[in-house]
Amino acid sequence: MDQLLIAGGRPLNGEVRISGAKNAALPIVCASLLTAEPLKLTNVPGLRDVTTLVKLLKGMGVESQRSDNGMILVGTDIHTPVATYELVKTMRASILVLGPLLARCGSAKVSLPGGCAIGERPVNLHIKGLEAMGAQIRIEHGYIVAEAPQLKGARIFMDTVTVTGTENLMMAAVLADGVTILENSAREPEVVDLAECLIKMGAKVKGHGTDVIHIEGVKTLHGAEHRVMPDRIESGTFLVAAAATHGDVTLVDSCPEALQAVLEKLREANAEIEEVGNRIRVRMRGPNHGVSLRTAPYPAFPTDMQAQFMAMNTVAEGTTVITETIFENRFMHVQELRRLGANIEIEGNTSIIRGVPSLEGAGVMATDLRASASLVIAGLIAQGETCVDRIYHLDRGYERIEEKLGLLGADIRRVAGQEGA
Ligand code: EPU
């Protein structure tokens, strides 16, 4: 298992290009199931999750070609509308095939995702929404078995804001008979990016980006070309890494408008932020003030940035409080940050972080994607060497992270871990 070795204490400086967004690319790749014609994508990040999803779709009948950051997907004949446990258990986002498969093929068999490190993460709202559209669904041997010769438009209220739930139902509704109204929809920019791709494919979608999405079903969708939006969480991670190391970094090809809650918190932490077009420059004005925050659905502060801010707060002045409201178990990084000398207490869904003068390098273990990013940031701040183990989590969501950080001046390298490590 690969590890990252980081010699901390160096400020990050320079420019870094942001990749396409993982959480936009995944649903958009699934949208290729909705048409027999080619879907041509650009700015697709080279990530393990994308590779896993393409492999899953290949088994269903979708052929793909990859070139640099482009991808062409063609689902002429979807012969096997099945997502097996072997692949779904490695990536929960595989649930995103359920809506499109049902809409295109009239039936689908998709494994229930099973356990997850950051929280319970049920898919009841995906199932309930599809049932409201006329699908017959049963759970059989760990699989969601769904049938609907023709989905029908429906008014669907989701009692919790769910990103992939909204995306799944939107992809089902584009080929349904009649109008679907999704209430209390997720407003995340990735949902909007998917809607824009679907519109290019001939779908009739309105209201994306608000909490009520209106979809008028059409008979068929056609091929299209789409550029995946920039990754706002990769952007935020580099911004926090730059601020936490008192560096001066400019993001290129980013998406400032989708990052306002994060940029606001960085300003509060004493960073100066300049936004020009798709570029964002960050540098600290003086001491790190630390920031208290509470995660919530977009446009509020994203849960996917909570762990990175916590790493920065460990060496901030004074005490800060971070409250996680989306996932029940998203403080797995706390134990590891403590190994580096951080002073953090957990009370329920709140962490209290008392700033310490500095962190000290140590061996730490990555537990999930964003927790891993927070450990890398902590390693960049810490004095001495930090070894982050189990970085396969990072490879799921950050394209060439050690290379990008290295170009910004970090002393970081990937090494093959020892057997049994
Ligand atoms: N929920 C339900 N029932 C459902 C669906 C969700 O109760 O049927 C609950 C969840 O348990 C959670 C809340 O609703 O408490 C929100 O979960 P959501 O469904 O929005 O999460 P998701 O769609 O599974 C996506 C991202 C996550 C990101 C969350 C929140 C993708 C592929 N994943 O997950 O990204 O944290 O939205 O913004 O888009 C990551 O990239 O590291 C990551 C975990």
Side-chain angles (χ1 to χ4, degrees), residues 258-269:
L259 272 158
Q260 288 307 314
V262 168
L263 297 182
E264 220 24 67
K265 283 293 166 192
L266 281 166
R267 288 191 185 99
E268 209 180 304

Side-chain angles (χ1 to χ4, degrees), residues 1-5 365 387-390 415-421:
M1 247 178 246
D2 286 0
Q3 303 171 330
L4 282 181
L5 290 185
M365 187 99 83
C387 173
V388 185
D389 204 356
R390 302 207 171 164
V415 292
Q418 315 198 331
E419 266 321 292

Side-chain angles (χ1 to χ4, degrees), residues 22-23 121-125 160 162-164 304 326-327 370:
K22 166 179 86 78
N23 290 347
R121 304 184 78 182
V123 290
N124 58 312
L125 297 171
T160 303
T162 159
V163 175
T164 49
D304 291 344
I326 307 287
F327 294 113
R370 308 305 170 186

